[in-house]
């Protein structure tokens, strides 16, 4: 696995950290840009790699996603290992870490939250809302914030309701933010060239969501 | 009608404006505090008064709310008159005005949006999501942002779905933000003493929502 570290710390042991979790197609230049943007704000950002592979095609992406979803603890174990890489960085305050995921990465950060990993918040952009096989229910301490396109075919109303019920049962302090007329992958300008039905970049939701994420990180990762 | 003006402008014709719309029980010290908070940030804030009366009891509040909801254009006409008071203030740039409502006030600001009044955004905290009688459907230009407690008995899932469908049909750029475990009137600390089922103050949703409102005002009311 080859993650990407963008270290915005300026003194040992004092910076907040953010773990970033990629979409189903894996590590990408966009993930590195997101990490760099957070480092510019003083975060130690680590974009994890669940796959140890890049540049596979859509069929392979679907196959890998299915394997992650049906194999108990596979996402969780890999994400926990990546979180340890982040919290071992010298610049970081390991008690002040959040996790942000995109698409499949929303599932990844929720797996950390369900594991009661030492993250203060789990934030998902156009997240998958379903649980991988084998994850037991239980209390969730991390603040949960999901940013969902109302027209996202991968997060239909029934999945939202199931997710909300799980979060409420888990005692989580959760938020779900719906953006009208917005589809899947809305933060990804590059998605346009693929021409996939139900996938569409949205500048408004991207900028609003990024600002909301920064507010949540600031609120939950304060010293 | 006796509204409350908090003028944060520092030069003629340059400040953004915010119209504030009260809960069903009418004008209150809390509404004035909200206006003052916005004036501190440089807004010209005007808290409208739909009733021309204060300190009526809950039965009278329900009666007045029902009258507003069943009388076509009653909310709209009064809100338009209040908006004119705001835009006539010397400090304000009348092209940069937003509207923020609480509870029944969410309906009030949406009536302005449906009327294509000169507001750039309509923001509702624990808003009613139903339409008053007689309001015709049509396009909505204002950005719409509703902040809803997931356990708000006055904004149940069926009302949210109907509202979302109306907004999408109207071509509105809309957002609906759901806060898990949060009930009606969540911004109102004073609601606690009334002991009403389904009504509850929530500090987290209040602070998160206020920050999101400020982001939206800043974004939509930029010069």
């Amino acid at each position: 696995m080859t993650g990407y570290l963008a270290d915005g710390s300026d003194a040992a042991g004092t910076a907040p950290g953010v773990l970033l979790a990629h979409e189903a197609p894996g590590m990408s230049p966009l993930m590195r840009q997101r990490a760099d943007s957070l480092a510019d704000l003083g975060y130690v950002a680590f974009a994890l790699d669940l796959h140890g592979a890049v540049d596979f095609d859509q069929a392979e992406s679907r196959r890998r996603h299915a394997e992650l979803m049906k194999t108990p603890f596979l996402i969780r174990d890999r994400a926990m290992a990546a979180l340890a890489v982040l919290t071992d960085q010298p610049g970081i305050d390991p008690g002040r870490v959040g996790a942000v995921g995109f698409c499949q990465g929303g599932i990844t950060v929720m797996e950390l939250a369900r594991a009661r990993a030492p993250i203060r918040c789990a934030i998902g952009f156009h997240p998958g809302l379903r649980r991988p096989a084998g994850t037991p229910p239980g209390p969730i301490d991390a603040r949960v914030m999901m940013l969902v396109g109302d027209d996202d075919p991968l997060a239909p109303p029934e999945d939202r309701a199931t997710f909300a019920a799980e979060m409420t049962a888990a005692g989580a302090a959760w938020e779900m933010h719906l953006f009208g007329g917005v589809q899947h992958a809305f933060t990804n300008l590059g998605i346009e060239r693929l021409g996939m039905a139900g996938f569409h970049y949205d500048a408004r939701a991207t900028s609003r969501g990024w600002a909301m994420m920064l507010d949540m990180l600031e609120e939950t990762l304060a010293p």
Side-chain angles (χ1 to χ4, degrees), chain A residues 94 110 132 175 180:
Chain A
M110 285 309 305
E175 304 172 18

Side-chain angles (χ1 to χ4, degrees), chain A residues 82-95:
Chain A
L83 181 61
V85 171
L86 174 62
T87 56
D88 281 349
Q89 297 304 314
I92 207 172
D93 175 351

Side-chain angles (χ1 to χ4, degrees), chain A residues 4 160 216:
Chain A
Y4 176 80
R160 298 176 210 164
M216 177 62 95

Side-chain angles (χ1 to χ4, degrees), chain A residues 13-14 16 21 31 33 43 52 85-86 115 125 154 169-170 192 204 215:
Chain A
T14 60
M31 290 307 303
Q33 287 171 24
Y43 292 95
V85 171
L86 174 62
F125 287 87
L154 303 188
E192 296 302 294
R204 171 178 64 89
D215 282 348

Side-chain angles (χ1 to χ4, degrees), chain A residues 133-157:
Chain A
T135 300
I140 288 177
D141 310 310
R143 292 272 294 274
V144 173
M145 181 168 88
M146 297 288 125
L147 301 121
V148 178
D150 190 55
D151 292 342
D152 184 339
L154 303 188

